[in-house]
Amino acid sequence: MLPFVMLGMVSGANATTEKPGIAGHYTLQAREIDSKLVLEPDNTFEAFIEYAGAEGSAKGHWKQVDNTLTLTSDAVEPPAENLLFNLSRTHSLADLQDTHQPDGGDRFKQAQNHYVLNLRYARSSPVPSIAPVMVTFEFNQGPATQLLWNNAVGRQLYLPYSEQRTLTRIGLQSRADQPPQWFAIDPVTRTLSLSWKVDRTTGQMTYDKPDQLGLAQSQQFFRNAPKALAQIDRNYILTLIYGVTAEPPAITPVDIYWSFDDGSEQNQRWADSRQQQLLMPAPAGKALKRLGVKLSGDQSPQWFDVAADSRAIDLMWDERVKPEQMRDLSGVFKTLELEVKGDCLAVDLGNGLACYRP
């Protein structure tokens, strides 16, 4: 697969501040990739790219906000009709309950009376570069442990587990002149999943409250990840995830079927790819047995079996790419962000940071 086929899309900021001198003709300086970019003074652009015999071109508009230059193609893409679905994981009510919250937390409250279908677009946004982050682990006794998170990709940090020395909180610090951001950790927690972002205006990193799982929940979560499953018995696992999702394409409507253990069914229509959840009232005396998805051209649904105690379901989806689409690289410019560094328009198209230069 081409290195930049998975390139994501990030929306621009609200206010536009155009700097003089940015318009002009640019050539990409990158290994194996030939690309030209023309920025016109009227905020339109033209671009061309070629890689390994595949090529693409685009026209559109550009805007600059501080040091971020955003290209947006004018091409209108038809709604995606042929989609791929994969059941990622299911959650019971116990999985969803936040023991730190008296009411169990928002996800628990939402699922008490509903089945929740989370529709996750499988593609990710390009991960921005970051300064090294010091991650501090504090325990109920003994000294703290520090690990350096020094790259900008989603990764996992492993920390030895001991019943006599349990984790109480973690702190993340990207600048020595600022205090760490701390998160309290439940004593039974064994795995943590923490999403992070970068404020493009200030360059500051922000973090969402981590999801926490105990040992049994962690073993269930990592059941299809042998490496992590082998580590969880004797380690804490911290997963750091870039929390900006790619902009999904428009879709033709998809029918969702909820099949219960008494043979009854309910169905809904998912028509907006930006809608990330569907809720189905949980009927008394019934349990969800299967979930089905039916595309407009299919004769019957594709079915996924779910565990009897499931209350929330994560369903990953993506557009099925046709062979001819693999040879068309125009989508690279659908929504592309570049960082203005002097005469360098810096961008990562999948094979490392490179520059468009005049």
Side-chain angles (χ1 to χ4, degrees), residues 323-343:
E324 57 269 25
Q325 291 176 305
M326 296 290 289
R327 311 300 298 171
D328 181 6
L329 306 183
S330 303
V332 169
F333 303 104
K334 183 176 180 181
T335 305
L336 179 63
E337 286 191 348
L338 307 95
E339 184 178 0
V340 181
K341 297 181 175 180
D343 66 348

Side-chain angles (χ1 to χ4, degrees), residues 110-111 114-118 258 277-280 311-313:
Q110 183 186 51
H114 292 86
Y115 287 101
V116 182
L117 176 60
N118 300 305
W258 307 79
Q277 275 194 344
L278 290 178
L279 301 179
M280 171 60 63
R311 196 47 79 86
I313 303 159

Side-chain angles (χ1 to χ4, degrees), residues 76-155:
V76 178
E77 298 182 4
E81 296 182 356
N82 198 355
L83 304 179
L84 296 170
F85 291 92
N86 177 52
L87 194 152
S88 174
R89 97 177 260 224
T90 62
H91 313 256
S92 67
L93 277 175
D95 295 336
L96 298 170
Q97 187 172 17
D98 184 348
T99 56
H100 295 287
Q101 301 293 330
D103 58 4
D106 292 339
R107 295 194 306 167
F108 178 77
K109 290 190 296 181
Q110 183 186 51
Q112 278 188 306
N113 299 309
H114 292 86
Y115 287 101
V116 182
L117 176 60
N118 300 305
L119 295 148
R120 312 293 194 196
Y121 185 43
R123 303 195 188 189
S124 58
S125 293
V127 181
S129 58
I130 62 169
V133 176
M134 185 63 70
V135 185
T136 301
F137 300 84
E138 289 192 351
F139 301 86
N140 63 340
Q141 59 178 309
T145 298
Q146 290 187 317
L147 296 176
L148 188 65
W149 171 35
N150 58 4
N151 60 34
V153 298
R155 62 171 297 186

Side-chain angles (χ1 to χ4, degrees), residues 35-245:
S35 183
K36 309 291 184 183
L37 173 63
V38 179
L39 302 177
E40 300 289 358
D42 63 355
N43 289 91
T44 61
F45 80 87
E46 293 187 24
F48 168 81
I49 190 167
E50 182 178 10
Y51 172 80
E55 62 182 40
S57 59
K59 296 181 179 181
H61 290 77
W62 64 269
K63 67 178 179 179
Q64 184 181 356
V65 180
D66 297 321
N67 291 324
T68 299
L69 180 73
T70 304
L71 309 180
T72 304
S73 171
D74 289 342
V76 178
E77 298 182 4
E81 296 182 356
N82 198 355
L83 304 179
L84 296 170
F85 291 92
N86 177 52
L87 194 152
S88 174
R89 97 177 260 224
T90 62
H91 313 256
S92 67
L93 277 175
D95 295 336
L96 298 170
Q97 187 172 17
D98 184 348
T99 56
H100 295 287
Q101 301 293 330
D103 58 4
D106 292 339
R107 295 194 306 167
F108 178 77
K109 290 190 296 181
Q110 183 186 51
Q112 278 188 306
N113 299 309
H114 292 86
Y115 287 101
V116 182
L117 176 60
N118 300 305
L119 295 148
R120 312 293 194 196
Y121 185 43
R123 303 195 188 189
S124 58
S125 293
V127 181
S129 58
I130 62 169
V133 176
M134 185 63 70
V135 185
T136 301
F137 300 84
E138 289 192 351
F139 301 86
N140 63 340
Q141 59 178 309
T145 298
Q146 290 187 317
L147 296 176
L148 188 65
W149 171 35
N150 58 4
N151 60 34
V153 298
R155 62 171 297 186
Q156 290 179 336
L157 298 179
Y158 295 89
L159 195 71
Y161 168 78
S162 168
E163 292 183 358
Q164 292 74 38
R165 189 168 179 261
T166 55
L167 189 61
T168 57
R169 66 173 186 166
I170 62 170
L172 299 104
Q173 183 181 27
S174 55
R175 291 179 53 179
D177 60 345
Q178 293 184 348
Q181 182 174 351
W182 291 99
F183 295 98
I185 306 302
D186 192 292
V188 301
T189 293
R190 295 293 291 277
T191 64
L192 304 97
S193 178
L194 188 147
S195 295
W196 61 275
K197 302 176 185 176
V198 175
D199 187 314
R200 291 185 175 272
T201 301
T202 64
Q204 295 296 308
M205 295 183 68
T206 59
Y207 309 93
D208 293 337
K209 181 181 178 182
D211 290 331
Q212 305 180 39
L213 300 177
L215 178 59
Q217 295 170 322
S218 301
Q219 291 170 332
Q220 172 69 11
F221 180 81
F222 288 120
R223 63 189 182 278
N224 295 319
K227 180 182 177 181
L229 190 60
Q231 295 284 344
I232 191 58
D233 284 340
R234 58 184 184 276
N235 287 282
Y236 291 102
I237 300 180
L238 170 61
T239 304
L240 297 147
I241 304 168
Y242 183 48
V244 177
T245 58

